Amino acid sequence: MAIDVPENVVVSKLDELASWCRKNSLWPMPFATACCGIELMATGASRHDLARFGAEVMRFSPRQCDLMIVAGRVVMKMLPVLQRIWSQMHEPKWCISMGACASTGGVFDTYSVVQGIDRFLPVDMYVPGCPPRPEQLIQAIIDLQDKIQREGTISGREFATRSRQERKRALVELPVITLPRGVSHLPQGVRVD
Amino acid sequence: MIDAATKTALSEAFPSIAWSEFRGDTRAVVPREVLFEVFKRLRDEHGFDFVVDITCVDYLNFRGAEDRFGLVYLLASTHTNERITLRVFVNEPDLTVPSAVPLWEGANWLEREVWDMFGIPFEGHPDLRRILMPEEFTAFPLRKDYPLQGRGERHNFPVLHREDA
């Protein structure tokens, strides 16, 4: 049975239509804590022009955003703030971990710096670099757009899949080291994690 | 370098101060008992009206060191451009040092930082809380017996999943 469709009508799936809308109007929440934030600003500015990818509307209220870009190192004192901001964002939402520090702690392997935000938050896209060039961040946003288009659903079913629930690393249990009484420091060569 | 008359006056008033010079800078090791009096006299009579910095050194396992902690006070006079370095050594278990906040308001946050990082309690400080680390943090991270990577505090957070938020 042939259906006569006018030439200005496109037939698609509702999921794909929703994903197409979402991916082309990402509203980033700039969580910029370090030098990556400078590159993030450069990405949004005129030379690199994030508006070409529909993601230029940076909002400092998490309730208006659907893409959190964590740019820079996150310390112990900042992580609860980061988690709260993530919780305040409306679904569907995505997270880009920008730069070595946000992804792994980078060179800051110290007592106060969180060794990768993906230990405590779901991360969709990682950007390597220290700091990454704006081109790299743009590539991450393009890749995220592809990901949204590829697997996005209007009801957000893709977020409930097993792979999205799993932690990204084999760091299932990270022990808090408590030293025995009277021992004030660990022997040399013993790592605490 | 400080004025010779200042140094003479202080030496006569406080004979327990040990003086030294290094490349034109005057340094004084002050016993804790007279520290506040020395501060007061420097401020009131010799014009040292500005605390540049208050910091601390942990001499644990330091070669030749006899004391555990050395507090360093850098004072300056904005009128005469004189500068002086005061040091006071403290040992466990009694690390208490008189606070300089009653004399210089600017010492407030500097002393809070030393308390946060080294655990030196400043007696008479109006608001001795942690300034850099979270309040629930229990260790003093710049002490030499604290491991560089911490004791797991940086991993001690709840994990947010997609279904949680």
Side-chain angles (χ1 to χ4, degrees):
Chain A
M1 186 178 102
I3 302 172
D4 198 20
V5 179
E7 61 182 37
N8 58 352
V9 171
V10 177
V11 179
S12 176
K13 285 186 283 188
L14 194 56
D15 281 349
E16 289 195 3
L17 183 67
S19 300
W20 178 74
C21 295
R22 285 170 182 168
K23 78 167 188 179
N24 286 308
S25 73
L26 291 169
W27 286 35
M29 160 79 220
F31 196 94
T33 52
C35 45
C36 283
I38 307 296
E39 298 296 307
L40 177 59
M41 286 179 243
T43 313
S46 54
R47 187 181 178 91
H48 296 280
D49 195 11
L50 204 52
R52 293 178 293 159
F53 307 95
E56 80 279 17
V57 189
M58 304 254 180
R59 283 297 146 100
F60 297 91
S61 166
R63 300 188 193 281
Q64 299 176 352
C65 300
D66 55 5
L67 168 64
M68 184 165 71
I69 301 178
V70 183
R73 68 194 87 91
V74 176
V75 294
M76 280 176 62
K77 211 170 172 179
M78 191 57 101
L79 188 77
V81 180
L82 181 67
Q83 286 187 325
R84 168 170 280 213
I85 285 176
W86 174 254
S87 308
Q88 285 175 339
M89 286 167 60
H90 290 296
E91 285 185 327
K93 58 190 174 185
W94 298 272
C95 178
I96 289 179
S97 170
M98 178 180 178
C101 297
S103 306
T104 67
V107 295
F108 302 99
D109 189 9
T110 62
Y111 57 91
S112 58
V113 179
V114 172
Q115 301 296 295
I117 58 162
D118 59 349
R119 297 186 180 206
F120 306 107
L121 284 177
V123 173
D124 293 284
M125 204 59 73
Y126 299 84
V127 190
C130 183
R133 291 275 309 161
E135 291 90 330
Q136 286 173 270
L137 183 61
I138 288 172
Q139 183 64 53
I141 288 173
I142 293 171
D143 289 347
L144 184 65
Q145 287 180 338
D146 290 348
K147 186 176 180 177
I148 293 167
Q149 182 69 70
R150 197 169 59 243
E151 62 179 23
T153 56
I154 195 161
S155 58
R157 283 193 308 279
E158 77 274 20
F159 295 124
T161 53
R162 179 127 184 262
S163 65
R164 289 290 186 101
Q165 300 300 333
E166 280 173 354
R167 279 177 232 179
K168 296 284 195 302
R169 303 177 184 194
L171 297 161
V172 178
E173 283 303 319
L174 293 159
V176 175
I177 307 287
T178 48
L179 297 175
R181 278 184 90 81
V183 178
S184 61
H185 60 282
L186 291 166
Q188 214 163 18
V190 174
R191 283 177 60 94
V192 289
D193 60 344
Chain B
M1 183 64 91
I2 63 170
D3 192 42
T6 307
K7 190 172 169 178
T8 314
L10 279 172
S11 306
E12 284 172 5
F14 305 101
S16 51
I17 296 179
W19 296 91
S20 60
E21 293 271 335
F22 182 74
R23 293 186 182 171
D25 286 331
T26 307
R27 305 181 301 185
V29 178
V30 184
R32 175 168 49 176
E33 291 71 33
V34 296
L35 184 67
F36 193 79
E37 290 303 309
V38 172
F39 283 159
K40 201 166 167 50
R41 187 171 281 236
L42 279 171
R43 188 193 71 158
D44 294 341
E45 295 175 22
H46 304 291
F48 284 90
D49 53 356
F50 181 52
V51 181
V52 180
D53 199 7
I54 299 173
T55 185
C56 185
V57 183
D58 185 355
Y59 287 104
L60 182 72
N61 301 329
F62 191 84
R63 197 186 305 153
E66 294 170 2
D67 301 287
R68 174 73 195 270
F69 294 105
L71 274 122
V72 185
Y73 292 81
L74 306 179
L75 306 181
S77 162
T78 55
H79 303 292
T80 60
N81 283 336
E82 289 172 286
R83 279 167 192 275
I84 187 169
T85 305
L86 298 179
R87 286 190 293 168
V88 55
F89 292 102
V90 287
N91 284 293
E92 282 176 317
D94 182 21
L95 298 174
T96 315
V97 170
S99 171
V101 179
L103 300 175
W104 296 284
E105 198 59 44
N108 190 321
W109 284 14
L110 301 172
E111 289 183 353
R112 278 178 66 186
E113 187 186 353
V114 173
W115 158 252
D116 192 1
M117 292 288 129
F118 292 94
I120 308 285
F122 289 89
E123 201 170 14
H125 192 287
D127 184 27
L128 197 62
R129 286 179 293 131
R130 289 187 176 274
I131 189 168
L132 295 171
M133 300 305 291
E135 281 188 19
E136 63 272 16
F137 201 78
T138 53
F140 299 113
L142 286 195
R143 288 190 178 185
K144 291 294 178 194
D145 54 3
Y146 184 80
L148 172 65
Q149 285 145 348
R151 299 202 178 112
E153 294 96 339
R154 63 186 184 182
H155 304 313
N156 194 14
F157 289 100
V159 181
L160 283 191
H161 293 284
R162 280 277 179 188
E163 76 243 34
D164 301 333

